[in-house]
Amino acid sequence: MSESLFSFYRSTIAEHQGWVADVVFDSQQELIWAAGQKGTVASYYSTGLNIYTKFVANSDITQILTVDPGVLTLSAERLNLHSRMGQRQLTVTSPNMKEMCCMSASQTKPEVLLGGHTKTMTKYDLTQNKITAEIMVPDLGCVLKKKKVPTATLR
């Protein structure tokens, strides 16, 4: 493991005052995002992994995801959207959003599918800013169903 990568993990853990819940590459900018268990989200840039932004999203973050309008943070009972500078844009809650632990963005539509340890998955539309569907799943504990997308072959 390179020294800068080790330093990144060591400093991120110390800064977040808890273990790192998720690390993702930004889909729009040249940033790496890290979310701490206690609700801190930070972005890093360049080869030195310098802090670009840092903000408190919500406690007990389980996953982060970057989308066109910003950064989504998921906790057990809510979904938050923040701008890349840290300003909260929206908060989504629902009676069916309990024990949420993962999300997946659609490749073709501005939608996010949220799943957890419940009998429902929630579909949220980022353009309409509303929950568009709550899908019943047969087994409790189904985290997320993902359709396999065929890969393209380069010639």
Side-chain angles (χ1 to χ4, degrees), residues 118-135:
T118 63
K119 288 197 170 222
T120 38
M121 291 191 302
T122 304
K123 189 185 287 187
Y124 185 80
D125 189 304
L126 294 165
T127 305
Q128 297 177 22
N129 289 334
K130 69 177 187 176
I131 294 173
T132 55
E134 292 188 334
I135 305 154

Side-chain angles (χ1 to χ4, degrees), residues 84-154:
R84 284 180 170 76
M85 295 306 292
Q87 183 179 26
R88 184 171 294 172
Q89 304 293 318
L90 80 108
T91 299
V92 180
T93 59
S94 165
N96 289 327
M97 289 176 66
K98 302 285 184 213
E99 298 183 56
M100 292 285 143
C101 59
C102 60
M103 61 183 158
S104 179
S106 170
Q107 297 293 322
T108 57
K109 300 176 187 175
E111 293 178 334
V112 180
L113 187 62
L114 312 168
H117 300 288
T118 63
K119 288 197 170 222
T120 38
M121 291 191 302
T122 304
K123 189 185 287 187
Y124 185 80
D125 189 304
L126 294 165
T127 305
Q128 297 177 22
N129 289 334
K130 69 177 187 176
I131 294 173
T132 55
E134 292 188 334
I135 305 154
M136 296 301 293
V137 291
D139 298 320
L140 183 64
C142 175
V143 176
L144 191 65
K145 294 181 177 182
K146 189 170 183 179
K147 182 178 178 182
K148 185 174 173 104
V149 178
T151 56
T153 306
L154 296 175

